[in-house]
Amino acid sequence: MQRKRTCGPGLAALAVALLIIWAMAAFAQSTATKDSGVGKAGADQANQPVTTLSVKVNVVNVLATVRDKHGKIVNTLGKDDFTISEDGRPQAIHYFTRESDLPLTLGLMVDTSMSQRRVLDQERSASHGFLDQMMRADKDKAFVIHFDREVELLQDLTNSNEKLEAALGKLTTPQPQFKQTGGGDPNDQGGDRDGDDNRGSGRGQGRHRMGGGTLLYDAIYLASDELMKKQQGRKALIVLSDGVDRGSKETLETAIATAQKADTAVYSILYKDDEGNGEHRGGFGMGGPWGGGGGVGRRGGGGPRYPQEQRPDGKKILARISQETGGRMFEVSKKLTVDQIYAQIEEELRNQYSIGYTPDRANAGGGYHKIQLVAKGKDLVVQTRDGYYASE
């Protein structure tokens, strides 16, 4: 007797599973067919040019220090305590904060011409202490430049106190240089020897002293244009000099404008050696942009700048540079030592207000724009830059 074969539970389950798989595949194919039109439309849209709106917002940032009538720094003011105008037009302050922790970029620039030779040790020692006190290894950085008849970068930007101290140790006044220009006794050093290493006036008298300029303007220009312009945050140059420029290719106006464009404040320390022999004669600058006796040859002096003037007023020159860049000029004296001056600069740099606004005239154009920042409190004096250069 034959037994009738029937589908067991396993075969039935398998059949159901195959039916479900077939149904899902059919649905997926149908969906893909419908979506192909949408995908093609999306691809067509992606190939179409996209119209974008580009809005350029020009935000002007101003760093300021405020003092009372006694010269004491005031660091408790708020946004509403200030008014600001650009080219005489009132502006709305959109950004305000008291800055004491922003990264700081410092440039220490030391005049090593012969007029400074008797005070150079004091400048070097005070600069050591200032950098040790001011620099925060995790945030700040500095560089060291010396200038005399050339401009030389002794230490590029670094946060290493050891490297900065080593650079300060290299600060020396230049040795006199002589150049054979004609016949005569080769042992005759000719020319006028005026008691220092400045250039004599005896051109054509045998051997001539070369160099001896003080390239102050070139130094500020190079530091601002080649170093500071690339940095962000707070930026300040510290210039130790008697303020007398001899032989720079750049003008005073160009040096100031370049510092302004780099948003760099210049603090000047007038250090005169009244008892020593100053630079009373014009010289001939030498060297490339960072010294080295030529090289690029773009910077290095172009002969006496003041052929008719015995000695420019270095104090007025340094005061102008500092005022127009938002810094301050100090004069070393028996009552105010260079160490005390450095302490005041440090206090200023750690107690600043940062104020930002967007000019109300978006199409005001490039060029220089005058800024006037005023604190509303009685007898308060605001120290900040005079203006800024807008891009075209």
Side-chain angles (χ1 to χ4, degrees), residues 47 166 200 364 372:
N47 292 328
Q372 185 177 21

Side-chain angles (χ1 to χ4, degrees), residues 93-115:
I93 297 176
H94 297 301
Y95 174 80
F96 177 88
T97 186
R98 286 185 288 271
E99 295 292 2
S100 60
D101 202 41
L102 274 179
L104 175 64
T105 302
L106 281 173
L108 190 61
M109 307 179 63
V110 183
D111 182 347
T112 51
S113 62
M114 293 307 297
S115 64

Side-chain angles (χ1 to χ4, degrees), residues 51-52 59 94 216 253 365:
T51 302
T52 59
V59 178
H94 297 301
L216 170 63
E253 290 73 20

Side-chain angles (χ1 to χ4, degrees), residues 193-258:
R193 303 192 69 175
D194 54 11
D196 60 17
D197 289 327
N198 300 302
R199 307 298 71 89
S201 59
R203 301 189 68 177
Q205 300 179 19
R207 298 171 73 90
H208 282 216
R209 303 182 189 184
M210 301 299 292
T214 307
L215 308 186
L216 170 63
Y217 306 155
D218 284 357
I220 294 174
Y221 172 87
L222 287 165
S224 302
D225 188 62
E226 298 190 9
L227 293 170
M228 286 300 196
K229 185 171 66 175
K230 305 171 186 177
Q231 306 306 312
Q232 301 296 323
R234 296 178 298 158
K235 297 176 280 188
L237 294 176
I238 315 293
V239 179
L240 294 98
S241 176
D242 61 3
V244 179
D245 183 284
R246 298 289 192 187
S248 282
K249 286 186 176 180
E250 303 298 339
T251 64
L252 171 61
E253 290 73 20
T254 301
I256 292 173
T258 307

Side-chain angles (χ1 to χ4, degrees), residues 162-176:
E162 291 77 12
K163 291 182 179 180
L164 293 170
E165 289 181 4
L168 291 174
K170 299 176 184 177
L171 294 173
T172 57
T173 52
Q175 296 298 316

